[in-house]
Amino acid sequence: MSKIVILLLLTAILIALFAGLYFLMKEPASSKRTLRSLMVRVGFTFVLITLLLVAAYMGWIAPHAVGK
Amino acid sequence: MTTKHERYYVPAQSYWPIVGAVGLFFIAIGLANLIHVFQPGYDTSLTKSILLLGVGVSVIIFMVSGWFNHVIKENMAGLYSAQMDRSFRQGMIWFIFSEVMFFAAFFGALFYIRMFALPWLGGEGSKPLTLDLLWPNFVAEWPLLNNPDPKYASPNEVIPWHGIPLLNTTLLLTSGATITWAHWALKVGKRLQLNLAMFCTIALGLTFLGFQIYEYSHAYMDLGLTLDSGIYGSTFFMLTGFHGLHVTLGSIMLIVILVRCLRGSFTAENHFAFEATAWYWHFVDVVWLGLFIFVYIL
């Protein structure tokens, strides 16, 4: 379950990132849509890293290098 | 009836591409020599390898800064038009396309090895004979700490995710936040915040690189994890190494952009170079996130 949420968040980050690229290509320089997309990207990334830490701490995922 | 056409600036022939090619040549020779320094049977000098690599990196820095300098001067001289602006955007999109394909190939190699090649070697699915005939004692696991062929020394350990990798992830995520802060400051015309946020982003990027160098030396010196210690080492150094090169390039671009910010070259209406560089930094950050998840954690 955790892995599915991680993959979904990663997909959302990629969509926000490439939406930013699309707006960078298409919108005039005065537009703020690239900035907004990248803000969403940073927000999702923060959520994902927090989730990874919680999941590893709670034992929902087993990071492969722990204890080796 | 006459039609008025937009002026289109055609720059003079540029020598920067050939300078870049020379730099890449020295980097390739320097790196190839450096890899063989610690290999038995090769008479390769460490000093010469580092010197060749240093020459290559210096030429690349010279090329990037010189080329940027030419483009900036052309822009500031008012030689560009709306058509040229579209050309820059086209250039950016093709550059990013090549970068996406580049990393897709390396991530693809990692996924193929983990999901297909290793399980097959371990006899999974319809491949029990592969295990029996090739290396019957092989156990498929990831990270691979027991290479099937004992001719290739296996790593003693791999780098745990919660040390430097987690720290570096935090550094890059923070740099993603600071470049967004700079982006916002540029849009609303807060120059002091823009410069401060750009400086923080560069400092975070360079700190990331410093920790990566430390991690590599620890892997080579203490863990036996090297580029030739089996498929884990190969994929680990290929993926994280090329990402590190991208962070280096991104840092150089950010430094150039910071200098331009300090000079007040950008306005809220004219700042494509800033936005393209900021987007590139976000891209490099997201690639790292993929590496952190698929190389270090899952």
Side-chain angles (χ1 to χ4, degrees), chain A:
Chain A
M1 181 63 189
S2 296
K3 286 186 181 176
I4 293 171
V5 178
I6 289 168
L7 289 179
L8 285 176
L9 274 170
L10 202 54
T11 309
I13 289 168
L14 285 172
I15 291 171
L17 178 73
F18 282 94
L21 181 64
Y22 177 79
F23 295 136
L24 177 65
M25 294 300 124
K26 291 287 182 188
E27 298 274 315
S30 53
S31 164
K32 288 187 179 169
R33 294 180 81 179
T34 303
L35 174 61
R36 276 195 215 109
S37 300
L38 294 174
M39 280 176 169
V40 171
R41 186 306 277 179
V42 171
F44 276 136
T45 309
F46 181 77
V47 173
L48 177 54
I49 291 175
T50 309
L51 174 74
L52 282 170
L53 289 176
V54 172
Y57 181 76
M58 300 294 284
W60 300 336
I61 55 169
H64 61 221
V66 170
K68 288 189 175 173

Side-chain angles (χ1 to χ4, degrees), chain B residues 46-163:
Chain B
L46 178 65
T47 319
K48 279 183 191 164
S49 308
I50 292 177
L51 192 67
L52 282 167
L53 188 59
V55 168
V57 172
S58 307
V59 172
I60 289 293
I61 292 172
F62 171 67
M63 182 272 289
V64 170
S65 50
W67 200 337
F68 283 0
N69 192 28
H70 271 183
V71 175
I72 292 163
K73 277 184 179 159
E74 286 168 350
N75 183 28
M76 298 306 280
L79 296 170
Y80 293 162
S81 58
Q83 171 64 47
M84 198 70 188
D85 196 46
R86 286 194 290 279
S87 299
F88 275 122
R89 285 161 201 251
Q90 281 270 327
M92 174 71 181
I93 201 90
W94 286 113
F95 170 59
I96 294 305
F97 178 68
S98 71
E99 292 283 81
V100 168
M101 298 311 287
F102 180 91
F103 278 109
F106 286 129
F107 271 106
L110 178 73
F111 294 151
Y112 183 82
I113 289 156
R114 290 185 61 174
M115 296 180 73
F116 298 110
L118 269 189
W120 286 341
L121 281 179
E124 205 172 275
S126 60
K127 313 283 185 196
L129 276 178
T130 309
L131 176 68
D132 293 341
L133 295 177
L134 288 177
W135 296 284
N137 298 321
F138 176 64
V139 179
E141 58 174 9
W142 194 264
L144 189 64
L145 296 175
N146 59 330
N147 288 333
D149 193 335
K151 187 167 73 177
Y152 299 97
S154 302
N156 305 321
E157 284 181 66
V158 296
I159 292 168
W161 70 280
H162 45 68

Side-chain angles (χ1 to χ4, degrees), chain B:
Chain B
M1 197 177 99
T2 54
T3 313
K4 198 177 176 190
H5 291 285
E6 190 183 57
R7 179 177 50 82
Y8 186 71
Y9 171 63
V10 180
Q13 276 197 342
S14 173
Y15 47 81
W16 291 118
I18 189 74
V19 174
V22 171
L24 286 176
F25 175 76
F26 274 101
I27 286 179
I29 299 289
L31 275 177
N33 275 287
L34 199 60
I35 286 168
H36 288 97
V37 166
F38 302 105
Q39 299 272 2
Y42 289 95
D43 182 25
T44 314
S45 153
L46 178 65
T47 319
K48 279 183 191 164
S49 308
I50 292 177
L51 192 67
L52 282 167
L53 188 59
V55 168
V57 172
S58 307
V59 172
I60 289 293
I61 292 172
F62 171 67
M63 182 272 289
V64 170
S65 50
W67 200 337
F68 283 0
N69 192 28
H70 271 183
V71 175
I72 292 163
K73 277 184 179 159
E74 286 168 350
N75 183 28
M76 298 306 280
L79 296 170
Y80 293 162
S81 58
Q83 171 64 47
M84 198 70 188
D85 196 46
R86 286 194 290 279
S87 299
F88 275 122
R89 285 161 201 251
Q90 281 270 327
M92 174 71 181
I93 201 90
W94 286 113
F95 170 59
I96 294 305
F97 178 68
S98 71
E99 292 283 81
V100 168
M101 298 311 287
F102 180 91
F103 278 109
F106 286 129
F107 271 106
L110 178 73
F111 294 151
Y112 183 82
I113 289 156
R114 290 185 61 174
M115 296 180 73
F116 298 110
L118 269 189
W120 286 341
L121 281 179
E124 205 172 275
S126 60
K127 313 283 185 196
L129 276 178
T130 309
L131 176 68
D132 293 341
L133 295 177
L134 288 177
W135 296 284
N137 298 321
F138 176 64
V139 179
E141 58 174 9
W142 194 264
L144 189 64
L145 296 175
N146 59 330
N147 288 333
D149 193 335
K151 187 167 73 177
Y152 299 97
S154 302
N156 305 321
E157 284 181 66
V158 296
I159 292 168
W161 70 280
H162 45 68
I164 289 177
L166 179 61
L167 178 64
N168 266 350
T169 305
T170 315
L171 287 172
L172 269 198
L173 170 63
T174 314
S175 80
T178 54
I179 191 92
T180 310
W181 175 27
H183 200 161
W184 169 83
L186 175 63
K187 290 283 187 190
V188 296
K190 294 189 185 293
R191 278 193 61 188
L192 182 64
Q193 288 195 43
L194 166 67
N195 295 335
L196 184 64
M198 283 300 292
F199 180 80
C200 291
T201 310
I202 294 163
L204 287 162
L206 296 179
T207 312
F208 172 94
L209 283 173
F211 277 118
Q212 181 122 10
I213 291 166
Y214 174 77
E215 185 188 68
Y216 275 19
S217 65
H218 175 57
Y220 260 79
M221 302 298 174
D222 306 323
L223 305 182
L225 177 63
T226 66
L227 198 55
D228 56 356
S229 63
I231 197 66
Y232 183 84
S234 303
T235 49
F236 174 83
F237 283 106
M238 283 295 275
L239 277 160
T240 59
F242 274 117
H243 176 266
L245 278 181
H246 284 77
V247 175
T248 310
L249 179 65
S251 300
I252 296 170
M253 287 158 71
L254 285 174
I255 290 168
V256 173
I257 294 296
L258 173 61
V259 172
R260 297 191 69 189
C261 289
L262 290 170
R263 286 182 184 165
S265 302
F266 300 121
T267 63
E269 285 74 37
N270 184 8
H271 54 265
F272 179 72
F274 177 94
E275 275 198 323
T277 304
W279 191 91
Y280 183 71
W281 192 254
H282 283 277
F283 171 75
V284 170
D285 190 1
V286 171
V287 171
W288 174 260
L289 196 60
L291 290 179
F292 182 59
I293 292 172
F294 295 114
V295 172
Y296 290 100
I297 294 191
L298 295 182

